[in-house]
Amino acid sequence: PCALHQLYYDPNIENKNLAQKWLMQAQVSPQAWQFCWVLLRPEKVPEIQYFGASALHTKISRYWGDIPAEQYDTLKMQLFSQIAHFASGSKIVLTRLCVALASLALNMMPEAWPGAVSEMVRMFQEEGGEVDGRARCLALLELLTVLPEEFQTSRLPQYRKGQVRGALGSEWTAVYPLLQQLLRQPDSPPLVKARVLKCLSSWVLLDVPLNESEGLVEASFTALADPELFDTAVEAIVNTISQPDSQRYVNTLLKLVPQVLQLQEQLRDAVQNGDMETSHGICRIAVSLGENHSRALLEQVEHWQSFLALVNMIMFCTGIPGHYPVNETTSSLTLTFWYTLQDDIMSFEAEKQAIYLQVYRPVYFQLVDVLLHKAQFPTDEEYASWSSDEKEQFRIYRVDVSDTLMYVYEMLGAELLSNLYDKLGRVLTNTEPTTTWQDTEALLYGFQSIAETIDVNYSDVIPGLIGLIPRININNVQLADTVMFTIGALAEWLADHPVMLSSVLPLVLQALGNPDLSVSSVSTLKKICRECKYDLPPYAANIVAVSQEVLIKQIHKTSQCMWLMQALGFLLSALPVEEILRNLHSLITPYIQQLEKLAGETPNPSNKLAIIHILGLLSNLFTTLDITKQEEESGENAPPIKSAPPQTGPNPVVVVLQQVFALIQTVLSKWLNDSQVVEAVCAIFEKSVKTLLHDFAPMVSQLSEMLGQMYSTIPQASALDLTRQMVHIFASETNHFPPIKALFESVTSVTLTIFQQGPRDHPDIVDSFMQLQAQALKRKPDLFLSESLDVKAVFHCGVLSLKFPEAPTVKSTCLFFTELIPRCADIPPVGQVVQEDGKLLLLAVLEAIGGQSSRSLMDQFAEVLFCLNKHCFALLTVWLKEALRSPGFPSSRVSNEQKDTFSQQVLRERVNKRRVKDIVKEFTLVCRGLHGTEYAADY
């Protein structure tokens, strides 16, 4: 009690924590059996009684094996009497006692306590002296409600779960009449009825047959008329209808449809009175019946009218008046229903499908109108009054509407686009003052939703749409955004119809100057430059000029500036080399001048950001500036006139890099300590190498030299990643091998020094280093033949890295070993080190499996083990025997017999890697003492 007092009332958090720890240990101690009952005595305060009840539940649910079978009945009777006693006492203590008795019942069923539920019902219905009938009734309902819930969370082994579920299911016949009677009795208090509905919700989790709870569901529908019971009744009905098994009971489902339809009047009244809770609840019921059982109900052809009425009721819920999420939150619940219904209709064979489509195509056209109406923005004043959270929820809601429209397109096809086009035409040519910008925006949004993901090339309405766009009076940011995104969604279409570019490109360039349209205008320009680059040369000068202007005026945030540079990279890729160079010169010169000025300043946080920004702009430009694509593409789909003449001379990117190389070195020399600046420099070269591939060749030797110097002064992971790129592309080329080899040896020896000084502070460097070594073994194993490379030291660093706590580092190290071990035969230095020190590697792998490493990494360690077995079988046989001989290794929980089995199983598998992974998983669970527990089940 002293510890409990500390837990609940002591303001000192450390005392609370100590008390909590002590109480947790007390609960599982053998003495708990004695003190539980003492703590439950009537004179104790509820907090102490609650702890007593909780301790009982802990003992029964987790330490069932400690209870002798002859004490089961005593325990049962003690719990019954405590529950009877607390029926009129503290509710929290009563619930814990019910959970304890439920756990006892689940552990005893079916053999040791047959008919447990019937006995519970009987015990509580008998007249009990001091406790009034209503309190006993509520206690019984509490017990019956927690029983299935306790089953769902119980730790019963799998085979027992099946037995107990069966036993519980067969006891529904004892529960059902009781619930039915209590719910239908006119004098049952609302509290009792609410508990009955909760109890029903709990039991349907056990998949009790729907036809056996039909009467209760009907009574639950009646309860919806009572505001006090409404929420609980909705839960009970939704849970019952949604249980997977209920689709077998078609006759019962057919009886439910009219009951749901009868709620329409209550639904309309709720909507009219602005009662969101009621309309939301009724909508949930209609949707759960439609969504879970549309297939079964569609199949009942003779009842087609009542199902159509249900569909129309759901349509009413989709189009519920008001703006989501401010005036209503119901419409979003219905969207999945429309997917399900469409899937079910489209899955019928052709003739049957045709019949259903006659009925449902008009419904889906109506749905499109409803969705576009719901997606409309409110008036400007109203929208301005929304919180940022409401605006964000509305944005997500529009994305959901957009996804639904795209899906519906699969059923309605081209007619949907014509339909939208006709409406847009009417809205734009209508001179009446009734149409608003919101109408136009929603229709365009519909177009954009479809064109974004579906190929609209065959559609005959797109030319008309592009013709209408310039006629739109754009007087509002949301409308302007949607116009931009719509043009972006049509970029692929424009590539096939370049003559239309002249009518939309001016709109996009004009929007670039507006900071409010930053995201939409820049992403649209990027799409157009990517898809239509061979048609853009006539507009290139204009695009570059406008882009330069907005970049100089700093209209856009950093990420949009980066996208804009990518757009210009695509654009320039299609021009002749001298034009590319001329444009690059005018585009980059102001930045180079700025960078020269910054390079001369003393480093500080603000000039650091400016430097990183400029380096980022260059990286993004070089990511997409790729002239090699011209030759490839002109051969296939681009007509000959579109392609630029074949290139001669160095690549324009290389020309620029060579011009700025000295400046970049100056920047580096001042900022070598700063990993972000170093990263930004490496990114320029990394992006260029990735895009240019072999065209980057002229830069290889000077970049290799710079990287070597950089890394040896202050090692950074980004330099190793760039070295890995270079090894990947150039190590196999004879004329580039010398500089790459020198760089590889230099960074390796610097990293080995880091390992001697203590690598724990640099997991990122160790990770990148291991990836580099793996890449070298993969692309050019000859690098390991060099006199200057200390293969033994690299191997030992690998063994050390396997023990790092960081998962990515360990994964990269395992990858290194799976590349290294297969080279035993053809690279003598590798063969020698594995023969001499391979046992150390095996010990590290076994330690990890024994519990030193995260269980999520076991597949990677299994691969190393598999590699050793495949390539060094004779050695592994000896090493395994020696390693597993030490007592308590790799874990004190495994017996010698289990170690022998593991060893034999591993040595047997030299072909099936999947099998080795399973063997390792099994063994690691045994080593960790988790075999056969609930943790193992999730694994």
Side-chain angles (χ1 to χ4, degrees), residues 268-382:
R268 289 209 166 82
D269 291 346
V271 169
Q272 225 160 359
N273 303 326
D275 174 357
M276 277 162 76
E277 277 74 23
T278 302
S279 52
H280 197 79
I282 293 175
C283 169
R284 278 184 62 202
I285 293 173
V287 168
S288 69
L289 182 59
E291 202 175 296
N292 289 295
H293 305 295
S294 66
R295 175 121 205 160
L297 293 168
L298 277 169
E299 298 270 12
Q300 306 304 307
V301 185
E302 64 281 13
H303 296 276
W304 71 274
Q305 280 164 308
S306 67
F307 183 60
L308 183 58
L310 177 68
V311 172
N312 284 322
M313 180 177 175
I314 295 173
M315 180 79 79
F316 175 79
C317 296
T318 306
I320 208 158
H323 283 290
Y324 183 94
V326 179
N327 324 99
E328 64 92 7
T329 52
T330 300
S331 56
S332 61
L333 300 180
T334 64
L335 298 180
T336 341
F337 163 74
W338 299 109
Y339 284 79
T340 310
L341 178 61
Q342 178 176 326
D343 283 344
D344 289 336
I345 292 171
M346 301 309 273
S347 68
F348 289 135
E349 37 79 33
E351 280 176 40
K352 194 171 178 183
Q353 188 181 317
I355 298 167
Y356 280 96
L357 284 174
Q358 280 183 323
V359 176
Y360 285 100
R361 266 179 77 89
V363 173
Y364 273 84
F365 273 113
Q366 186 194 345
L367 173 68
V368 172
D369 290 346
V370 167
L371 288 175
L372 289 177
H373 183 71
K374 291 296 294 180
Q376 281 191 15
F377 279 90
T379 62
D380 295 341
E381 303 76 47
E382 199 182 329

Side-chain angles (χ1 to χ4, degrees), residues 713-771:
T713 318
I714 293 179
Q716 309 265 13
S718 48
L720 290 174
D721 296 335
L722 179 51
T723 304
R724 188 176 83 238
Q725 279 288 331
M726 305 267 284
V727 167
H728 177 65
I729 293 167
F730 296 107
S732 328
E733 295 187 13
T734 327
N735 49 338
H736 295 304
F737 186 64
I740 295 285
K741 175 174 181 279
L743 170 63
F744 179 71
E745 287 170 4
S746 155
V747 298
T748 299
S749 90
V750 171
T751 313
L752 293 178
T753 317
I754 295 178
F755 267 92
Q756 284 165 356
Q757 292 159 356
R760 271 302 302 115
D761 302 335
H762 309 286
D764 56 334
I765 289 183
V766 175
D767 184 354
S768 297
F769 178 65
M770 287 299 150
Q771 288 186 49

Side-chain angles (χ1 to χ4, degrees), residues 455-457 462 466 487-502 504 524 526-536 539 633 637-639 642:
D455 178 12
V456 291
N457 267 356
I462 305 294
I466 300 258
I487 295 172
L490 295 170
E492 284 182 45
W493 185 90
L494 286 165
D496 292 335
H497 307 83
V499 64
M500 302 300 273
L501 275 167
S502 57
V504 291
T524 295
K526 183 178 157 183
K527 281 181 179 170
I528 289 176
C529 290
R530 186 180 66 215
E531 300 300 334
C532 314
K533 61 182 172 193
Y534 296 113
D535 305 294
L536 291 176
Y539 310 97
E633 288 187 22
N637 49 14
K642 283 192 175 184

Side-chain angles (χ1 to χ4, degrees), residues 315 318-319 335 338 342 360-376 401-402 404-413 415-421 423 442-443 445-447 449-450:
M315 180 79 79
T318 306
L335 298 180
W338 299 109
Q342 178 176 326
Y360 285 100
R361 266 179 77 89
V363 173
Y364 273 84
F365 273 113
Q366 186 194 345
L367 173 68
V368 172
D369 290 346
V370 167
L371 288 175
L372 289 177
H373 183 71
K374 291 296 294 180
Q376 281 191 15
V401 166
S402 170
T404 312
L405 287 170
M406 183 186 81
Y407 204 75
V408 166
Y409 178 84
E410 301 199 3
M411 182 196 262
L412 301 180
E415 197 183 331
L416 172 54
L417 289 177
S418 315
N419 187 303
L420 291 175
Y421 174 65
K423 288 197 174 108
L443 286 164
Y445 186 66
F447 259 115
S449 304
I450 293 160

Side-chain angles (χ1 to χ4, degrees), residues 821-832:
I821 298 163
R823 300 284 173 197
C824 281
D826 49 350
I827 306 281
V830 171
Q832 190 183 343

